[in-house]
Amino acid sequence: MRTLQFSNEEGCVGMGQEHWLTYRGRDFAKLQYAYFEHSKGKQKTAFIMIHGITAELEHHKEMVDALQVNADLFLPILRGYDRLNKRGDLDYFAQYDDDLLDFIHYVEKLGYDRIVLAGHSMGCANILRLLKNNPEVVDRILFISPFFHPTLPVYRDDATEQFKPETDVHYTVYSKKAGLLMTLYKLNIPHFSHKTVAEIPDEFDAQGVLSLSFRLLASRFLEKLPPDLFEGYSDRIKTLVGADDEVVDAEALASWYKDSFDLEVEIIPDTDHNRILHDEEAHRSIARWLS
């Protein structure tokens, strides 16, 4: 794991391709993001990527090299994952909705003509929450290996237990504990919302494990998926999934899209849940879509 360096100066980019910067949320907290400027210099399109249950920093860095569109890439590190704020928890439910809206407005002010909002895995669930009340906030929406909601019957049973040693999807979710805490939350008993419901590798400490609270994970999902899920932006979305995805059943997801929304899912052959981020065929498809 490489050492990550962060700038103390907001919005200031030096020379080179990869920059670690901060912006301020509405609570004045400093929030971190990685910025990758196009090799030809600043572009007119901003590509904002929302990470999954783990940030997958190495895969996202490879994604920058694979990107075939003229865009600058932004990777906000979600609150609770970064090292500048309380770790593994949020201050209140739905804080991510505020943070992401603030970040999009921050990027807009940098002068981009077009904003593409992309999510990977659980990051797609964050986008669903955001778009529920802000369907016009971005120009295009890209879902990659989407994990929209744990109750959706398109995910592999006991996914975290079936991963083979050669895969790089490593985390533990305590589903029964999360379900109990959700029941208490719905009964207006939120006092235990700080309790741990997931453990992931700590990408900012190669020797550590980061514990994620119920409040944090619950703030990444819609409480319930509505039947008109993509209303207001169905003509602006593209969805990609790998044929070998260890979490998402690609065929089941494609059937759900077709039956429920008459939309298509593109299944990319010979790639999985994380490697699709830098799969060449996936990036050629994205480039065609954005051309």
Side-chain angles (χ1 to χ4, degrees):
M1 180 67 67
R2 69 188 187 281
T3 301
L4 304 178
Q5 300 294 330
F6 301 100
S7 167
N8 290 322
E9 187 173 357
E10 297 178 43
C12 179
V13 178
M15 300 299 292
Q17 185 183 24
E18 178 182 356
H19 314 279
W20 283 89
L21 307 171
T22 62
Y23 76 103
R24 289 197 182 270
R26 64 189 61 190
D27 62 344
F28 302 105
K30 281 189 175 183
L31 301 169
Q32 298 168 342
Y33 69 96
Y35 168 63
F36 301 87
E37 185 178 292
H38 195 279
S39 60
K40 297 178 181 179
K42 184 177 178 181
Q43 299 296 301
K44 295 182 179 180
T45 296
F47 197 105
I48 301 175
M49 171 61 71
I50 311 303
H51 65 75
I53 191 171
T54 55
E56 301 299 343
L57 296 171
E58 295 302 328
H59 282 289
H60 282 101
K61 188 171 183 180
E62 291 186 55
M63 179 181 182
V64 174
D65 297 330
L67 203 62
Q68 297 182 24
V69 297
N70 292 329
D72 298 332
L73 190 142
F74 294 80
L75 175 65
I77 304 302
L78 298 181
R79 190 188 298 251
Y81 290 81
D82 69 314
R83 300 184 77 173
L84 297 183
N85 298 282
K86 177 170 53 178
R87 308 211 69 210
D89 196 12
L90 302 180
D91 295 325
Y92 56 89
F93 282 95
Q95 192 168 22
Y96 281 144
D97 303 348
D98 295 339
D99 285 348
L100 294 181
L101 191 59
D102 291 344
F103 187 68
I104 290 170
H105 291 326
Y106 167 80
V107 172
E108 285 177 333
K109 291 178 181 178
L110 297 177
Y112 291 95
D113 295 338
R114 179 170 68 164
I115 292 184
V116 178
L117 183 61
H120 174 244
S121 193
M122 198 177 288
C124 299
N126 279 96
I127 292 176
L128 291 184
R129 284 189 59 104
L130 179 69
L131 295 179
K132 183 176 185 293
N133 295 316
N134 306 277
E136 302 297 328
V137 73
V138 295
D139 299 290
R140 296 287 187 94
I141 302 104
L142 176 64
F143 297 125
I144 303 175
S145 308
F147 192 86
F148 288 134
H149 197 278
T151 63
L152 194 62
V154 301
Y155 303 114
R156 302 190 185 280
D157 295 335
D158 301 321
T160 57
E161 295 179 9
Q162 69 168 324
F163 295 148
K164 299 176 182 178
E166 61 267 23
T167 69
D168 57 0
V169 182
H170 302 293
Y171 56 83
T172 302
V173 177
Y174 304 110
S175 301
K176 291 182 180 179
K177 185 177 180 181
L180 174 60
L181 291 172
M182 176 58 77
T183 299
L184 293 174
Y185 175 67
K186 290 180 177 180
L187 293 173
N188 200 28
I189 307 174
H191 311 299
F192 304 100
S193 297
H194 65 285
K195 296 291 187 180
T196 295
V197 294
E199 292 182 336
I200 65 172
D202 189 341
E203 294 185 74
F204 295 93
D205 179 358
Q207 305 304 316
V209 172
L210 181 62
S211 297
L212 305 180
S213 73
F214 169 73
R215 178 165 41 217
L216 183 150
L217 278 192
S219 295
R220 301 199 67 174
F221 295 99
L222 287 169
E223 188 169 319
K224 184 178 181 181
L225 295 181
D228 56 349
L229 182 61
F230 302 125
E231 184 176 9
Y233 56 92
S234 61
D235 60 336
R236 290 181 284 132
I237 68 173
K238 181 177 182 62
T239 305
L240 300 173
V241 65
D244 301 328
D245 196 298
E246 310 95 323
V247 179
V248 186
D249 183 322
E251 296 292 345
L253 180 70
S255 295
W256 178 67
Y257 256 60
K258 186 66 175 177
D259 295 343
S260 301
F261 314 108
D262 197 27
L263 294 175
E264 301 294 329
V265 170
E266 185 171 355
I267 299 176
I268 306 297
D270 303 318
T271 195
D272 60 25
H273 193 71
N274 287 337
R275 292 183 178 86
I276 191 174
L277 287 170
H278 42 88
D279 181 272
E280 290 187 5
E281 182 172 339
H283 280 273
R284 285 194 293 270
S285 179
I286 294 168
R288 290 192 297 269
W289 174 61
L290 291 175
S291 62

